[in-house]
Amino acid sequence: MTASYQRFADVFRKTQEGIRTVALADPASELFPELVERVRNDSSWDDAYTAVWLHGSPAVVQAATALDLAITELFYDAQDRKHRVEDWYRIRVTGPRWQVHRLCEL
């Protein structure tokens, strides 16, 4: 079970970096749709989330589900427009980060 939690934490960081790349990219660029698709098609988040969902305690599954929803919202927000670096720090602090802290408390 601990291995699934560690994997979930590791993949969270990787997933957030992919979303950051999308958030800071120019949506008008020809390569933007390809970038979004590449980040969307990376199944490592879904794989790690599923392992936690299958093996985690009810409280951890609940926190992981909230984190998954926050990550999804962050991904859609990242695609919405080109963010400045300052914008990115603001939206990611109010987004999934607080869910990670909650998950770590369990």
Side-chain angles (χ1 to χ4, degrees):
M1 199 164 9
T2 303
S4 341
Y5 296 167
Q6 183 61 48
R7 170 93 173 112
F8 190 64
D10 293 343
V11 171
F12 168 77
R13 186 73 195 116
K14 179 183 176 220
T15 301
Q16 192 174 32
E17 275 304 305
I19 295 171
R20 181 187 67 81
T21 302
V22 170
L24 299 178
D26 182 0
S29 166
E30 288 181 19
L31 300 176
F32 188 75
E34 184 180 314
L35 172 63
V36 169
E37 201 59 31
R38 188 174 70 240
V39 172
R40 179 178 285 121
N41 288 336
D42 180 356
S43 68
S44 57
W45 173 260
D46 294 330
D47 297 343
Y49 174 57
T50 300
V52 168
W53 190 74
L54 290 172
H55 302 291
S57 69
V60 169
V61 169
Q62 183 179 15
T65 300
L67 182 58
D68 181 57
L69 292 172
I71 282 285
T72 301
E73 186 177 313
L74 186 63
F75 184 53
Y76 285 121
D77 189 41
Q79 296 172 64
D80 210 21
R81 63 184 170 85
K82 181 176 181 178
H83 292 74
R84 296 176 306 153
V85 173
E86 300 82 24
D87 296 336
W88 168 251
Y89 287 120
R90 192 174 307 108
I91 65 171
R92 89 180 170 131
V93 166
T94 59
R97 284 244 181 237
W98 71 271
Q99 295 291 349
V100 171
H101 293 296
R102 182 170 169 237
L103 188 61
C104 291
E105 291 172 359
L106 299 176

